[in-house]
Amino acid sequence: LCEQLKNEGYDLYIVTNGVAATQARRLKKSGLLPFFTEVFVSEAVGYQKPKKEYFDYVLNAVAEKDKSKILLVGDSLSSDIQGAMNAELQCVWLNLFGDDLPEKYKPTYTINDIREVKNLISA
């Protein structure tokens, strides 16, 4: 999916909490790093998701400035989805385990398989 989206001209970014060295090691091992334009790790940013300041930093750094053209995909309600809500971004909750959605979270979309992202952006 990452390769396909990159080849179709989408800029892909990783937004993640954690220690920069640990995340860099994980991403290198994954083999996915070449498909991403940039990686934003909370340790380097100075704020963690879901803080608005984290997303302000990311939004300032990415080329696309139109929030309506940005889609955050995440599996964590408390950091990814809440962070996207704080930053007023469209978001996709990747609900791998079929969990119930607590009322306080409002993802734009919910999917159960990462490949479903392609259907959302093709619509």
PDB file of all heavy atoms in Angstrom, residues 73 92-96 109-117 120:
ATOM      1  N   VAL A  73      -3.840   8.527   9.557  1.00  0.00           N
ATOM      2  CA  VAL A  73      -4.257   7.150   9.804  1.00  0.00           C
ATOM      3  C   VAL A  73      -3.544   6.677  11.061  1.00  0.00           C
ATOM      4  O   VAL A  73      -2.311   6.777  11.149  1.00  0.00           O
ATOM      5  CB  VAL A  73      -3.893   6.225   8.621  1.00  0.00           C
ATOM      6  CG1 VAL A  73      -4.321   4.794   8.911  1.00  0.00           C
ATOM      7  CG2 VAL A  73      -4.514   6.732   7.327  1.00  0.00           C
ATOM      8  N   VAL A  92      -8.445   8.551  10.249  1.00  0.00           N
ATOM      9  CA  VAL A  92      -8.911   7.180  10.089  1.00  0.00           C
ATOM     10  C   VAL A  92      -8.444   6.385  11.294  1.00  0.00           C
ATOM     11  O   VAL A  92      -7.238   6.349  11.582  1.00  0.00           O
ATOM     12  CB  VAL A  92      -8.331   6.536   8.811  1.00  0.00           C
ATOM     13  CG1 VAL A  92      -8.797   5.101   8.686  1.00  0.00           C
ATOM     14  CG2 VAL A  92      -8.684   7.338   7.585  1.00  0.00           C
ATOM     15  N   TRP A  93      -9.375   5.768  11.966  1.00  0.00           N
ATOM     16  CA  TRP A  93      -9.012   4.869  13.047  1.00  0.00           C
ATOM     17  C   TRP A  93      -8.850   3.471  12.472  1.00  0.00           C
ATOM     18  O   TRP A  93      -9.789   2.894  11.934  1.00  0.00           O
ATOM     19  CB  TRP A  93     -10.078   4.871  14.136  1.00  0.00           C
ATOM     20  CG  TRP A  93      -9.790   3.939  15.274  1.00  0.00           C
ATOM     21  CD1 TRP A  93      -8.563   3.625  15.798  1.00  0.00           C
ATOM     22  CD2 TRP A  93     -10.747   3.191  16.020  1.00  0.00           C
ATOM     23  NE1 TRP A  93      -8.706   2.728  16.842  1.00  0.00           N
ATOM     24  CE2 TRP A  93     -10.037   2.436  16.999  1.00  0.00           C
ATOM     25  CE3 TRP A  93     -12.125   3.082  15.977  1.00  0.00           C
ATOM     26  CZ2 TRP A  93     -10.668   1.609  17.904  1.00  0.00           C
ATOM     27  CZ3 TRP A  93     -12.758   2.251  16.891  1.00  0.00           C
ATOM     28  CH2 TRP A  93     -12.023   1.523  17.848  1.00  0.00           C
ATOM     29  N   LEU A  94      -7.638   2.942  12.564  1.00  0.00           N
ATOM     30  CA  LEU A  94      -7.367   1.574  12.158  1.00  0.00           C
ATOM     31  C   LEU A  94      -7.687   0.684  13.349  1.00  0.00           C
ATOM     32  O   LEU A  94      -6.902   0.540  14.277  1.00  0.00           O
ATOM     33  CB  LEU A  94      -5.898   1.423  11.737  1.00  0.00           C
ATOM     34  CG  LEU A  94      -5.449   0.026  11.328  1.00  0.00           C
ATOM     35  CD1 LEU A  94      -6.296  -0.512  10.176  1.00  0.00           C
ATOM     36  CD2 LEU A  94      -3.979   0.029  10.968  1.00  0.00           C
ATOM     37  N   ASN A  95      -8.868   0.123  13.318  1.00  0.00           N
ATOM     38  CA  ASN A  95      -9.400  -0.677  14.419  1.00  0.00           C
ATOM     39  C   ASN A  95      -9.170  -2.157  14.114  1.00  0.00           C
ATOM     40  O   ASN A  95     -10.064  -2.866  13.662  1.00  0.00           O
ATOM     41  CB  ASN A  95     -10.894  -0.369  14.594  1.00  0.00           C
ATOM     42  CG  ASN A  95     -11.510  -1.111  15.752  1.00  0.00           C
ATOM     43  OD1 ASN A  95     -10.844  -1.796  16.499  1.00  0.00           O
ATOM     44  ND2 ASN A  95     -12.823  -0.973  15.886  1.00  0.00           N
ATOM     45  N   LEU A  96      -7.959  -2.605  14.368  1.00  0.00           N
ATOM     46  CA  LEU A  96      -7.559  -3.966  14.013  1.00  0.00           C
ATOM     47  C   LEU A  96      -8.274  -5.052  14.799  1.00  0.00           C
ATOM     48  O   LEU A  96      -8.365  -6.187  14.339  1.00  0.00           O
ATOM     49  CB  LEU A  96      -6.045  -4.127  14.218  1.00  0.00           C
ATOM     50  CG  LEU A  96      -5.168  -3.310  13.283  1.00  0.00           C
ATOM     51  CD1 LEU A  96      -3.710  -3.413  13.715  1.00  0.00           C
ATOM     52  CD2 LEU A  96      -5.341  -3.766  11.847  1.00  0.00           C
ATOM     53  N   TYR A 109     -13.258   8.316   9.688  1.00  0.00           N
ATOM     54  CA  TYR A 109     -13.505   6.977   9.157  1.00  0.00           C
ATOM     55  C   TYR A 109     -12.976   5.941  10.142  1.00  0.00           C
ATOM     56  O   TYR A 109     -12.061   6.230  10.914  1.00  0.00           O
ATOM     57  CB  TYR A 109     -12.784   6.752   7.821  1.00  0.00           C
ATOM     58  CG  TYR A 109     -13.041   7.801   6.788  1.00  0.00           C
ATOM     59  CD1 TYR A 109     -12.118   8.814   6.562  1.00  0.00           C
ATOM     60  CD2 TYR A 109     -14.192   7.776   6.003  1.00  0.00           C
ATOM     61  CE1 TYR A 109     -12.340   9.792   5.596  1.00  0.00           C
ATOM     62  CE2 TYR A 109     -14.423   8.743   5.034  1.00  0.00           C
ATOM     63  CZ  TYR A 109     -13.486   9.748   4.837  1.00  0.00           C
ATOM     64  OH  TYR A 109     -13.710  10.700   3.879  1.00  0.00           O
ATOM     65  N   THR A 110     -13.514   4.743  10.057  1.00  0.00           N
ATOM     66  CA  THR A 110     -12.984   3.604  10.801  1.00  0.00           C
ATOM     67  C   THR A 110     -12.797   2.467   9.812  1.00  0.00           C
ATOM     68  O   THR A 110     -13.689   2.185   9.011  1.00  0.00           O
ATOM     69  CB  THR A 110     -13.948   3.173  11.924  1.00  0.00           C
ATOM     70  OG1 THR A 110     -14.108   4.248  12.855  1.00  0.00           O
ATOM     71  CG2 THR A 110     -13.413   1.958  12.660  1.00  0.00           C
ATOM     72  N   ILE A 111     -11.621   1.843   9.870  1.00  0.00           N
ATOM     73  CA  ILE A 111     -11.329   0.698   9.006  1.00  0.00           C
ATOM     74  C   ILE A 111     -10.765  -0.429   9.869  1.00  0.00           C
ATOM     75  O   ILE A 111     -10.315  -0.198  10.989  1.00  0.00           O
ATOM     76  CB  ILE A 111     -10.345   1.062   7.868  1.00  0.00           C
ATOM     77  CG1 ILE A 111      -9.007   1.564   8.429  1.00  0.00           C
ATOM     78  CG2 ILE A 111     -10.984   2.087   6.928  1.00  0.00           C
ATOM     79  CD1 ILE A 111      -7.947   1.832   7.366  1.00  0.00           C
ATOM     80  N   ASN A 112     -10.800  -1.635   9.328  1.00  0.00           N
ATOM     81  CA  ASN A 112     -10.267  -2.795  10.040  1.00  0.00           C
ATOM     82  C   ASN A 112      -9.036  -3.393   9.368  1.00  0.00           C
ATOM     83  O   ASN A 112      -8.413  -4.292   9.907  1.00  0.00           O
ATOM     84  CB  ASN A 112     -11.345  -3.876  10.172  1.00  0.00           C
ATOM     85  CG  ASN A 112     -12.574  -3.348  10.868  1.00  0.00           C
ATOM     86  OD1 ASN A 112     -13.607  -3.138  10.247  1.00  0.00           O
ATOM     87  ND2 ASN A 112     -12.471  -3.096  12.155  1.00  0.00           N
ATOM     88  N   ASP A 113      -8.713  -2.897   8.202  1.00  0.00           N
ATOM     89  CA  ASP A 113      -7.569  -3.389   7.437  1.00  0.00           C
ATOM     90  C   ASP A 113      -6.920  -2.186   6.769  1.00  0.00           C
ATOM     91  O   ASP A 113      -7.602  -1.383   6.122  1.00  0.00           O
ATOM     92  CB  ASP A 113      -8.066  -4.391   6.385  1.00  0.00           C
ATOM     93  CG  ASP A 113      -6.963  -5.047   5.598  1.00  0.00           C
ATOM     94  OD1 ASP A 113      -6.052  -4.343   5.109  1.00  0.00           O
ATOM     95  OD2 ASP A 113      -7.016  -6.282   5.438  1.00  0.00           O
ATOM     96  N   ILE A 114      -5.614  -2.063   6.909  1.00  0.00           N
ATOM     97  CA  ILE A 114      -4.903  -0.886   6.390  1.00  0.00           C
ATOM     98  C   ILE A 114      -5.124  -0.701   4.884  1.00  0.00           C
ATOM     99  O   ILE A 114      -5.129   0.418   4.387  1.00  0.00           O
ATOM    100  CB  ILE A 114      -3.389  -0.950   6.735  1.00  0.00           C
ATOM    101  CG1 ILE A 114      -2.697   0.384   6.436  1.00  0.00           C
ATOM    102  CG2 ILE A 114      -2.703  -2.087   5.998  1.00  0.00           C
ATOM    103  CD1 ILE A 114      -3.169   1.534   7.281  1.00  0.00           C
ATOM    104  N   ARG A 115      -5.350  -1.775   4.168  1.00  0.00           N
ATOM    105  CA  ARG A 115      -5.562  -1.665   2.720  1.00  0.00           C
ATOM    106  C   ARG A 115      -6.832  -0.889   2.373  1.00  0.00           C
ATOM    107  O   ARG A 115      -6.978  -0.403   1.248  1.00  0.00           O
ATOM    108  CB  ARG A 115      -5.576  -3.050   2.087  1.00  0.00           C
ATOM    109  CG  ARG A 115      -4.202  -3.746   2.178  1.00  0.00           C
ATOM    110  CD  ARG A 115      -4.274  -5.179   1.767  1.00  0.00           C
ATOM    111  NE  ARG A 115      -5.066  -5.908   2.771  1.00  0.00           N
ATOM    112  CZ  ARG A 115      -5.129  -7.212   2.869  1.00  0.00           C
ATOM    113  NH1 ARG A 115      -4.494  -7.972   2.007  1.00  0.00           N
ATOM    114  NH2 ARG A 115      -5.854  -7.796   3.805  1.00  0.00           N
ATOM    115  N   GLU A 116      -7.743  -0.757   3.338  1.00  0.00           N
ATOM    116  CA  GLU A 116      -8.974   0.002   3.110  1.00  0.00           C
ATOM    117  C   GLU A 116      -8.711   1.495   2.925  1.00  0.00           C
ATOM    118  O   GLU A 116      -9.578   2.218   2.419  1.00  0.00           O
ATOM    119  CB  GLU A 116      -9.946  -0.211   4.266  1.00  0.00           C
ATOM    120  CG  GLU A 116     -10.468  -1.638   4.381  1.00  0.00           C
ATOM    121  CD  GLU A 116     -11.358  -1.805   5.602  1.00  0.00           C
ATOM    122  OE1 GLU A 116     -12.449  -1.218   5.632  1.00  0.00           O
ATOM    123  OE2 GLU A 116     -10.934  -2.535   6.531  1.00  0.00           O
ATOM    124  N   VAL A 117      -7.554   1.965   3.312  1.00  0.00           N
ATOM    125  CA  VAL A 117      -7.211   3.386   3.130  1.00  0.00           C
ATOM    126  C   VAL A 117      -7.331   3.769   1.665  1.00  0.00           C
ATOM    127  O   VAL A 117      -7.811   4.846   1.324  1.00  0.00           O
ATOM    128  CB  VAL A 117      -5.794   3.692   3.665  1.00  0.00           C
ATOM    129  CG1 VAL A 117      -5.313   5.064   3.215  1.00  0.00           C
ATOM    130  CG2 VAL A 117      -5.763   3.588   5.171  1.00  0.00           C
ATOM    131  N   LEU A 120     -10.676   4.889   0.669  1.00  0.00           N
ATOM    132  CA  LEU A 120     -11.063   6.189   1.211  1.00  0.00           C
ATOM    133  C   LEU A 120     -10.528   7.338   0.369  1.00  0.00           C
ATOM    134  O   LEU A 120     -11.215   8.329   0.177  1.00  0.00           O
ATOM    135  CB  LEU A 120     -10.564   6.337   2.659  1.00  0.00           C
ATOM    136  CG  LEU A 120     -11.115   5.325   3.653  1.00  0.00           C
ATOM    137  CD1 LEU A 120     -10.450   5.522   5.016  1.00  0.00           C
ATOM    138  CD2 LEU A 120     -12.624   5.446   3.775  1.00  0.00           C
TER     139      LEU A 120
END
